Amino acid sequence: MEARIGSTVLRLVVGDITQQETEAIVNAANSSLMGGGGVDGAIHRAGGPRILEECKKIVAEIGSLPTGQAVITTGGNLKARYVIHTVGPVWSGGNRGEDELLRSAYRSSLSLAKEKGIRTLSFPSISTGAYRFPIERAAVIALQTVRDFIKEHGFFEEVRFVLFRQEDYEAYRRAWEKICAQEG
Ligand code: ADP
């Protein structure tokens, strides 16, 4: 699926984020920045050891990365030149600020990309794997946050969501339709 927001293309695809050729890809990391399972593990495996080396330097400087914030490293051996690491919230029922923290993870990643002059960017579905954020709700937040950021700042050529499973793609597609319908 492809949509336009001003001069930016918003694209939803089914695929593996480690294979994307956008200038940067976003990692759904954890606060330790030491790698993990899911998309985090896949990015470190595909990108090689330089990514972890830079993560270790960042942790030595700033300590662990708070939920909702983002940092940037090399893309190592990936096609993408950079990896933006952000930490989404762990779902714990929905009344512990999870929505706002998820919004913040997307916004921080977009701000950092813009600051670095990165015009094409791929996101995974942050928090909807091991962190158990319900995907229907996460998808609306993800897409609304990206749309609002692009509307406010323009700048990007393309922002892509790379969904690992067909059913995740369908959830994002439905969320986008819902957002567009609400706009009228
Ligand atoms: P979190 O801890 O933020 O929930 P996970 O990595 O467990 O992060 O899951 C986030 C999403 O990333 C899930 O929807 C999962 O299916 C997806 N995912 C896992 N591997 C990849 C990959 N290689 N490319 C894109 N998405 C992936």
Side-chain angles (χ1 to χ4, degrees):
M1 192 222 79
E2 206 178 296
R4 271 192 174 276
I5 306 165
S7 57
T8 302
V9 175
L10 173 70
R11 186 169 284 143
L12 308 185
V13 301
V14 179
D16 180 346
I17 201 162
T18 66
Q19 301 305 311
Q20 306 302 309
E21 76 295 351
T22 48
E23 282 171 76
I25 64 171
V26 175
N27 181 17
N30 57 61
S31 289
S32 77
L33 291 181
M34 289 300 110
V39 72
D40 196 3
I43 288 171
H44 283 283
R45 273 194 302 280
R50 279 197 292 153
I51 299 177
L52 189 59
E53 277 164 30
E54 287 192 19
C55 284
K56 284 181 179 164
K57 279 187 197 152
I58 291 167
V59 171
E61 269 175 38
I62 67 165
S64 61
L65 183 64
T67 305
Q69 296 189 22
V71 294
I72 189 165
T73 67
T74 174
N77 305 328
L78 297 169
K79 291 175 194 161
R81 189 160 170 209
Y82 301 102
V83 177
I84 291 174
H85 305 261
T86 190
V87 184
V90 176
W91 179 258
S92 45
N95 294 314
R96 300 197 166 218
E98 292 97 325
D99 290 355
E100 188 46 46
L101 287 167
L102 187 61
R103 229 171 264 129
S104 172
Y106 281 101
R107 222 184 277 127
S108 304
S109 302
L110 291 160
S111 297
L112 188 51
K114 182 171 182 247
E115 207 179 294
K116 298 287 173 188
I118 293 163
R119 290 183 174 275
T120 58
L121 181 63
S122 297
F123 279 105
S125 179
I126 298 168
S127 283
T128 65
Y131 284 1
R132 301 183 321 275
F133 204 117
I135 193 159
E136 302 282 342
R137 179 157 164 169
V140 172
I141 292 167
L143 291 167
Q144 258 171 357
T145 305
V146 166
R147 184 206 53 186
D148 291 351
F149 191 95
I150 293 168
K151 276 193 172 170
E152 192 178 345
H153 300 275
F155 183 73
F156 294 101
E157 261 169 45
E158 180 180 333
V159 178
R160 190 180 295 177
F161 280 88
V162 183
L163 293 322
F164 206 44
R165 301 181 307 172
Q166 183 67 31
E167 63 193 275
D168 296 347
Y169 170 84
E170 298 299 340
Y172 272 71
R173 205 179 41 79
R174 280 194 300 275
W176 182 250
E177 278 165 13
K178 192 168 147 189
I179 290 165
C180 293
Q182 277 166 0
E183 269 188 352

